[in-house]
Amino acid sequence: MPFFLMTGIFWVGLGAAAIPIVIHLLHRQRSTPVQWGAMQFLLDTTIHQRRRKSIDHWLLLLLRMAVIACLALLLARPLLPVSTYNHFASTTSSDIAIVIDHSLSMGRKSGDRTLFEHGADIVDHVVESLHPSDTLSVVLAEHTPRPFTDHPISNAASNAKEKLAQLGQSLHHLPPGMTDCSIADAVKAAREQVNTGRNVHKIIIVLTDQQRTNWQTGSDGAWRAALGDRDNGPDRDVAVYTIAVPPGGIVSNSPNVAVSNLQVTPAVIGINRRFTVNARVANSGPGDLPKGATIQLSVDGKFISAAISRPLPAGQSDNVSFDSIISEPGSHWLKVSADIVDGLEADNTAYAALDGVNRIPVLIIDGDLSGIAGFRASRFLSVALTSVDQGGSNPLFVPRTLLPADASGPELERYLEENPVVVLNDVPRLSPALVARLTSYVQAGHGLWIILGPRTDQANLAQTLGKTPLLPLSIKGIQRTTGNDFATVDLKEPNHATLAAMTANEHTNAFTGTHLAGWWAVEPAIGADSSATGLHTLMAVNHGNVSQPLVLAHDVGGSGGRVITWTSNVDALWNNLPVVTNFVPLVQETVLHLSAGASGARARRLESGQTLVWTGDSATPISEATISRPDGTERKVQPIVTNGKNVLTYNDTQLPGLYAIHFQPPSVPQPVYFTVNIDKAELDPMILSDADVEWLKTRKYLVDRITVEGLDKALGTENRGVELWPYTAVLLLFLLVGEMVVALLAVRLQEGSAVT
Amino acid sequence: MTTTIQPASTAPAGHTVSPLLEPRYLAAVSKMELVAKQVMDGYVQGLHKSPHIGFALDFAQHRQYVPGDDIKRIDWRVYAKADRYYIKQYEVTTNLKAFIALDASGSMAYHGSNALMSKFRYGQFIAACLTYLILHQQDSCGLITFDNKIRDFLPPRSASSHLLPITRALDATHAGEESTIAPQLHDIAERIGSRAMVIIISDFFDNAETLIQSLHHLRHKRHEVLMLQIMAEDELTFPFRKFSEFESLERSGHRVKLDPAVVRARYLESVQTHLKRIRDACSDLRISHTLMRTSQSLDDALTKYLATRMGSR
């Protein structure tokens, strides 16, 4: 390329420089003829003016042509190539933006440093390679891209050195990222940064561990939004490169322990009642963990206990359990963490929020209308519920027994509001209104225990409960044994929440010795698919070769509503359950299981990015709520009142860890804890394949995947010349000023007064 | 008093009246007098001072006083009787011999955008009116037309019938040739003879110095010179704005293209200098100089001129 960077616009502009001449010629041709007598005075004047006129007019003409030519040159942005004798400068200028992956996976270590720190080293290398008029911007690729520089840092600025040094230090001291990221969104943010620079060349360099999930390969929409039309868009010349971090691949022999899948049972924890925490501990390698990992449990920030997993070779996992109690009602949180320095520290910890409850009221609707027995069957239930065998001083459950008529009266709404669980204990007839109300009650997330017995009216049951999702069963009739022939109990799901506490030690022998003389034979109702209803048998009655359901469970609605159905009663008429050893824990765990759906405890354990929703009683107006985030920052949120409830929602839950809500006024029960665990997608080991890179390159979203050694070439350090447009602009300015001055002088000369 | 102009009565039968004898113009000047300011060598009595002193002549007549007359000549006796002012006319005065020299060069053909007529036409009317006036006051008047040479030379006559040949000569004259005023004035100075009033009607577009020399010549010959310089408004203000091609009215094919805005200041300065030079020279030579613009109404211009002249006598 010769002297100038010739573009079409330059030639057009240069042609436009002839416009003043054309105007001049056209102007000249249009002279007005005048028959004149005083030629002698005119000739005198023209003699004197001829030279000056020529000079002024030609000078103006030349100036104007020069202005237009200069403008054309300016727009063409010519370059002066370097030569031995060129003393202007020796390099071209670029606006450079670095996108550095700040997702969770960049916290992995290679050697003794994280991948992010390796990326920061590459940024230092780029800083050293900057040329005098280059600019540099940095964008952190996070769930939402975060510009790390407010404005591009110009290497030509007087304080450029200090700013770039500060940039490097800040990057090296940045804590590891904890969220996922979108490379396309980060490139878009980087494009916006480079477009604020004034250089012609725009370069974006993406430093990443090449984790495939973050690249959105295959999504033209995401990349077109990031870079625009790569054929005709205004930013089609923005060059994007990627460098794998760390260069040369991850070097590590360390194991990597991840704690996940926390499960807390029971879901609703009574104060001073034992609960169990189970955690999965896995070693994803590459190193082995021959001595296992020390796993610690802390509740509400206090260390409780530690356990050691079994030895974990690479690729192996183990389950670790802890038992603990909560002594205060309200919202609590626990943390299970591996005490180890491994390849990725972010997945060493898992969190869970839980609620401790002081009392669980239970409404028992008893069908005993005789008044003679005095709720005999329910008394067994009440005694079982109020047992304090957990070592607590106060029973967790507060049962209340009512007749169906009393429960259906004007107080029904209050009863349902106050009690998270309702027990229908062998009720012969249920009114349609009560059934309808119970249906909506369960669908709202509450629990219902249906106990069938001698008083149960099969026909009424089929016409009421049988037509609702509460009882998707077909009642076939009463089964009885005769004489000393009794049926036994078989556990079908010993690990179910209602049975796990009993079967943990005794396993299938938990109900050995249970005899049944009568029960209702049931089977799934016609048209009710058990897979659709979720109906499953927890315990069965075995008589001879026949096994029929004794305890069934299923969920109703999407709000955590649960139903447990017993096909035999609890008043010792048809069976000896009340005297069986595990009767009390069975009854308590059944009620606990039924009450857990409405507790919302599960709703406090969120996935990364899941909306945080808190509801509370609107009796106390809440003026403000403050959410403390895992990174130590706080956000103010305003709850709204909906359907008589205070509702608070919060969407920014990308960061894993503990979220605590504090309310104003302080009289509102607080704090309320929510926990978020890491996005499992960030542990996906799949990286960008060659096919993925090819997809990106074909669509011009990526120029190439390069190495650090190829960085210099990408940055255009080859000598390409210096742009002359600043000098051209200055020349243009002088020409314009000169044209103005000459024109002004010419106008002044033309002024004169008439002869009087 | 109403003066009736009957130019037709002076024309022989069968001849049309010259358009130069515009009645309103003649009416304007008819009340005026064109009186010489220096002594004339008249051979008959007239309005003008005779160089001959002590020549005892009889009272000739009374004439009604008009503003501007010398009050010494008022006959108070007549006033006492008639309660009106009359002046005495004596036979000691002599008549005026006047020559009207009209420049017929090409530059006089310029019309101008705001002018009533061309400079030459304007001059023709002035010549005709002055001729009428002079003959009316029973002085003798002659006509000289010139451009690059003397075209017509009509000797002065006092007969009123002399108006016709003069006006005819004026009508027949057209402006067009190149102008060289100074040589023609020299020629006129030699040809006129005894003292006379020379009324030069021209734009005086000539070299100022040569022109002044010719005026010197006329004054040396003891002629009273009246210069009526006629110019168009355009020539005085140069109002042109557009790029123009100026073509000479005197020299065919002589053109110059220029941007008027560029030359205006210098042009006006040249004109100003030329006029001043002429005025100064006229002042030194005691030549009456008056600048007339063709944009000005002729009757107003003449009336004003003659009144001024009469008032300064």
Side-chain angles (χ1 to χ4, degrees):
Chain A
M1 192 67 73
F3 180 78
F4 294 123
L5 182 65
M6 296 300 187
T7 63
I9 195 170
F10 171 72
W11 289 113
V12 171
L14 198 60
I19 291 176
I21 294 182
V22 172
I23 293 173
H24 173 73
L25 290 173
L26 289 174
H27 187 63
R28 286 185 63 171
Q29 290 171 2
R30 289 193 205 133
S31 62
T32 306
V34 178
Q35 300 280 316
W36 188 245
M39 288 302 285
Q40 69 178 74
F41 306 110
L42 216 56
L43 289 174
D44 287 344
T45 306
T46 54
I47 289 171
H48 290 285
Q49 290 291 336
R50 192 177 302 148
R51 178 169 293 181
R52 182 126 197 179
K53 171 188 155 185
S54 293
I55 290 175
D56 287 347
H57 279 215
W58 283 112
L59 188 59
L60 263 179
L61 191 63
L62 285 172
L63 279 173
R64 285 164 182 166
M65 288 172 65
V67 163
I68 295 176
C70 228
L71 193 59
L73 199 62
L74 186 70
L75 292 173
R77 303 285 300 263
L79 290 175
L80 182 65
V82 173
S83 69
T84 309
Y85 306 102
N86 183 8
H87 63 279
F88 273 22
S90 63
T91 55
T92 188
S93 302
S94 303
D95 294 321
I96 302 167
I98 298 178
V99 170
I100 181 165
D101 188 340
H102 196 228
S103 64
L104 184 143
S105 60
M106 289 288 282
R108 284 177 295 166
K109 286 200 177 142
S110 176
D112 58 351
R113 307 172 76 217
T114 65
L115 302 189
F116 185 83
E117 286 171 333
H118 285 286
D121 291 342
I122 299 175
V123 174
D124 293 339
H125 177 84
V126 172
V127 168
E128 288 166 9
S129 306
L130 288 178
H131 296 117
S133 295
D134 284 350
T135 67
L136 180 67
S137 314
V138 175
V139 172
L140 298 179
E142 299 175 339
H143 181 77
T144 302
R146 173 157 61 117
F148 201 64
T149 51
D150 294 331
H151 306 285
I153 300 174
S154 171
N155 204 24
S158 56
N159 59 351
K161 261 192 177 176
E162 290 80 17
K163 278 192 168 180
L164 290 169
Q166 195 177 356
L167 172 72
Q169 282 178 9
S170 301
L171 275 176
H172 280 284
H173 287 105
L174 202 64
M178 296 296 285
T179 67
D180 64 344
C181 78
S182 167
I183 298 296
D185 288 350
V187 166
K188 182 182 176 188
R191 176 173 74 123
E192 289 167 3
Q193 289 262 322
V194 294
N195 278 344
T196 62
R198 296 176 186 173
N199 293 313
V200 172
H201 304 288
K202 313 282 185 186
I203 303 170
I204 297 174
I205 300 171
V206 181
L207 307 177
T208 168
D209 59 356
Q210 309 281 292
Q211 190 178 38
R212 191 172 185 273
T213 56
N214 296 333
W215 276 83
Q216 294 171 281
T217 52
S219 174
D220 265 312
W223 283 98
R224 279 181 77 91
L227 290 167
D229 185 345
R230 298 304 277 165
D231 291 318
N232 300 311
D235 295 327
R236 61 184 178 275
D237 293 329
V238 174
V240 181
Y241 297 88
T242 182
I243 299 178
V245 176
I250 296 176
V251 176
S252 176
N253 291 322
S254 307
N256 181 39
V257 174
V259 178
S260 62
N261 290 7
L262 281 190
Q263 290 187 1
V264 180
T265 51
V268 175
I269 300 164
I271 55 171
N272 299 320
R273 292 173 63 85
R274 187 189 62 168
F275 66 92
T276 302
V277 180
N278 288 299
R280 180 172 177 269
V281 179
N283 176 19
S284 58
D288 294 333
L289 210 54
K291 296 184 180 178
T294 302
I295 311 298
Q296 296 177 346
L297 170 70
S298 58
V299 177
D300 294 337
K302 294 179 189 167
F303 171 79
I304 300 298
S305 62
I308 298 176
S309 71
R310 64 181 175 86
L312 293 173
Q316 297 293 314
S317 64
D318 188 19
N319 283 323
V320 176
S321 296
F322 301 90
D323 290 332
S324 185
I325 62 170
I326 292 175
S327 56
E328 296 289 334
S331 179
H332 300 270
W333 61 280
L334 60 86
K335 181 176 77 172
V336 177
S337 57
D339 183 17
I340 186 172
V341 176
D342 61 353
L344 178 63
E345 294 180 14
D347 59 358
N348 293 356
T349 304
Y351 297 85
L354 54 154
D355 290 330
V357 296
N358 200 12
R359 291 282 188 271
I360 298 179
V362 182
L363 178 66
I364 302 173
I365 300 177
D366 196 310
D368 183 0
L369 303 173
S370 65
I372 299 172
F375 299 136
R376 171 191 160 84
S378 293
R379 280 213 298 276
F380 284 109
L381 285 177
S382 297
V383 168
L385 286 170
T386 54
S387 169
V388 292
D389 63 312
Q390 291 291 328
S393 58
N394 294 315
L396 177 62
F397 303 100
V398 182
R400 179 175 184 166
T401 308
L402 295 172
L403 285 171
D406 295 332
S408 303
E411 299 293 316
L412 174 62
E413 286 304 320
R414 182 170 63 83
Y415 292 143
L416 295 180
E417 182 71 28
E418 292 173 352
N419 295 275
V421 179
V422 171
V423 183
L424 291 178
N425 187 14
D426 200 10
V427 178
R429 297 182 70 81
L430 292 164
S431 67
L434 177 60
V435 169
R437 189 61 192 91
L438 284 175
T439 303
S440 56
Y441 169 81
V442 173
Q443 285 173 334
H446 299 91
L448 179 66
W449 187 358
I450 303 171
I451 300 176
L452 305 179
R455 293 190 291 273
T456 301
D457 184 335
Q458 180 179 353
N460 176 265
L461 204 63
Q463 291 301 314
T464 54
L465 282 177
K467 290 193 180 299
T468 70
L470 301 180
L471 195 68
L473 294 170
S474 174
I475 312 297
K476 295 301 179 187
I478 296 174
Q479 299 291 310
R480 289 184 187 273
T481 62
T482 56
N484 293 327
D485 182 21
F486 297 105
T488 58
V489 171
D490 186 21
L491 297 181
K492 294 297 184 185
E493 290 190 23
N495 292 325
H496 189 265
T498 56
L499 301 172
M502 291 148 273
T503 60
N505 294 323
E506 299 178 65
H507 199 54
T508 55
N509 293 325
F511 287 90
T512 302
T514 304
H515 296 143
L516 289 95
W519 64 91
W520 283 92
V522 299
E523 59 188 28
I526 296 173
D529 183 359
S530 63
S531 63
T533 60
L535 190 69
H536 49 116
T537 303
L538 304 182
M539 296 169 68
V541 178
N542 280 336
H543 187 236
N545 295 325
V546 178
S547 176
Q548 289 173 325
L550 176 62
V551 177
L552 302 103
H554 70 287
D555 296 337
V556 175
S559 301
R562 293 170 174 174
V563 177
I564 296 282
T565 304
W566 282 25
T567 59
S568 187
N569 68 347
V570 295
D571 62 357
L573 288 178
W574 278 1
N575 54 63
N576 65 342
L577 275 172
V579 300
V580 169
T581 305
N582 283 324
F583 177 73
V584 169
L586 177 61
V587 168
Q588 292 188 354
E589 292 300 326
T590 299
V591 171
L592 272 176
H593 170 73
L594 290 170
S595 67
S599 72
R602 286 185 303 173
R604 300 214 209 286
R605 297 175 206 154
L606 305 175
E607 297 296 326
S608 176
Q610 186 181 352
T611 301
L612 184 158
V613 179
W614 173 86
T615 58
D617 187 13
S618 62
T620 304
I622 297 175
S623 59
E624 190 181 71
T626 303
I627 298 178
S628 304
R629 291 164 47 84
D631 57 0
T633 60
E634 291 184 348
R635 299 285 186 270
K636 301 277 186 205
V637 185
Q638 185 67 39
I640 59 173
V641 178
T642 306
N643 293 334
K645 295 261 184 203
N646 276 313
V647 178
L648 183 151
T649 57
Y650 182 69
N651 294 322
D652 190 6
T653 58
Q654 299 300 326
L655 274 181
L658 181 68
Y659 293 75
I661 308 177
H662 291 80
F663 301 97
Q664 282 292 341
S667 57
V668 177
Q670 60 184 288
V672 175
Y673 296 106
F674 286 78
T675 54
V676 175
N677 285 302
I678 62 172
D679 188 348
K680 292 189 180 65
E682 275 299 303
L683 303 178
D684 187 347
M686 279 194 68
I687 63 171
L688 277 182
S689 64
D690 290 339
D692 293 326
V693 173
E694 197 54 39
W695 183 89
L696 291 164
K697 286 170 69 173
T698 305
R699 286 155 180 77
K700 301 178 187 173
Y701 301 135
L702 186 72
V703 175
D704 205 357
R705 179 161 54 182
I706 61 175
T707 61
V708 175
E709 290 73 24
L711 196 57
D712 289 343
K713 189 175 178 184
L715 292 177
T717 55
E718 292 175 354
N719 212 327
R720 296 177 63 179
V722 63
E723 291 186 277
L724 292 178
W725 70 265
Y727 307 100
T728 315
V730 171
L731 178 61
L732 177 62
L733 193 61
F734 275 115
L735 287 173
L736 283 170
V737 171
E739 195 267 352
M740 250 179 15
V741 169
V742 172
L744 191 63
L745 288 174
V747 165
R748 282 194 175 175
L749 281 173
Q750 293 160 17
E751 289 174 359
S753 56
V755 176
T756 55
Chain B
M1 185 174 78
T2 302
T3 306
T4 303
I5 307 298
Q6 295 177 341
S9 61
T10 62
H15 292 273
T16 57
V17 177
S18 169
L20 293 176
L21 298 176
E22 176 62 35
R24 61 188 170 103
Y25 297 154
L26 299 180
V29 302
S30 63
K31 298 179 211 157
M32 302 294 180
E33 285 180 348
L34 182 62
V35 180
K37 290 196 177 168
Q38 66 179 46
V39 295
M40 290 290 126
D41 283 333
Y43 56 88
V44 296
Q45 290 178 341
L47 299 172
H48 318 284
K49 282 187 184 173
S50 167
H52 306 290
I53 305 172
F55 182 60
L57 294 173
D58 294 330
F59 165 74
Q61 61 182 4
H62 283 103
R63 178 175 63 79
Q64 190 172 6
Y65 171 80
V66 292
D69 289 337
D70 189 355
I71 58 172
K72 291 179 188 175
R73 295 166 62 190
I74 295 176
D75 191 341
W76 295 107
R77 288 185 188 171
V78 171
Y79 173 73
K81 290 180 182 174
D83 203 23
R84 289 180 184 172
Y85 296 106
Y86 284 91
I87 58 168
K88 293 179 183 175
Q89 287 186 307
Y90 295 94
E91 294 177 355
V92 298
T93 56
T94 183
N95 64 337
L96 168 70
K97 183 172 74 173
F99 284 91
I100 296 176
L102 176 62
D103 182 359
S105 62
S107 63
M108 289 292 286
Y110 183 70
H111 193 294
S113 54
N114 293 332
L116 303 169
M117 60 195 79
S118 69
K119 292 190 292 186
F120 182 71
R121 192 66 176 162
Y122 203 87
Q124 283 179 315
F125 275 109
I126 293 174
C129 290
L130 289 177
T131 301
Y132 175 82
L133 177 63
I134 294 169
L135 293 176
H136 183 66
Q137 60 189 30
Q138 296 176 354
D139 288 322
S140 58
C141 182
L143 177 68
I144 306 171
T145 62
F146 63 91
D147 43 39
N148 56 359
K149 60 182 180 183
I150 293 178
R151 293 291 171 190
D152 293 307
F153 189 95
L154 273 63
R157 296 282 186 271
S158 60
S160 59
S161 60
H162 196 50
L163 179 63
L164 179 60
I166 287 179
T167 56
R168 191 180 296 168
L170 285 171
D171 283 333
T173 306
H174 302 283
E177 292 299 327
E178 192 170 349
S179 160
T180 52
I181 304 175
Q184 312 320 316
L185 292 182
H186 281 297
D187 195 4
I188 291 171
E190 290 300 323
R191 288 178 71 166
I192 287 178
S194 59
R195 290 181 188 179
M197 175 185 281
V198 181
I199 304 170
I200 310 172
I201 303 173
S202 171
D203 53 15
F204 296 105
F205 285 170
D206 200 354
N207 181 272
E209 300 309 318
T210 56
L211 191 62
I212 292 168
Q213 282 180 3
S214 65
L215 293 176
H216 270 284
H217 191 179
L218 283 167
R219 288 297 296 146
H220 176 72
K221 291 289 185 180
R222 300 186 188 179
H223 301 306
E224 181 175 357
V225 180
L226 275 57
M227 287 176 66
L228 300 180
Q229 186 172 15
I230 303 175
M231 287 183 75
E233 197 68 32
D234 291 352
E235 291 168 336
L236 293 167
T237 61
F238 204 69
F240 306 100
R241 291 284 177 259
K242 295 181 184 177
F243 188 82
S244 305
E245 184 179 35
F246 292 86
E247 184 175 359
S248 173
L249 287 166
E250 293 187 356
R251 204 190 305 175
S252 174
H254 187 209
R255 299 185 182 89
V256 59
K257 285 185 182 177
L258 49 82
D259 184 357
V262 175
V263 304
R264 186 170 180 270
R266 187 71 185 174
Y267 166 85
L268 294 174
E269 186 186 344
S270 294
V271 170
Q272 185 79 16
T273 304
H274 180 74
L275 289 176
K276 185 176 184 301
R277 187 71 188 96
I278 292 175
R279 281 197 200 108
D280 291 343
C282 291
S283 175
D284 294 339
L285 293 171
R286 288 186 293 160
I287 293 174
S288 168
H289 173 267
T290 302
L291 180 64
M292 288 186 171
R293 299 164 190 252
T294 54
S295 58
Q296 192 177 12
S297 165
L298 184 65
D299 46 351
D300 286 342
L302 264 180
T303 306
K304 195 175 172 183
Y305 170 68
L306 291 173
T308 305
R309 196 176 160 73
M310 286 166 64
S312 62
R313 189 172 57 185

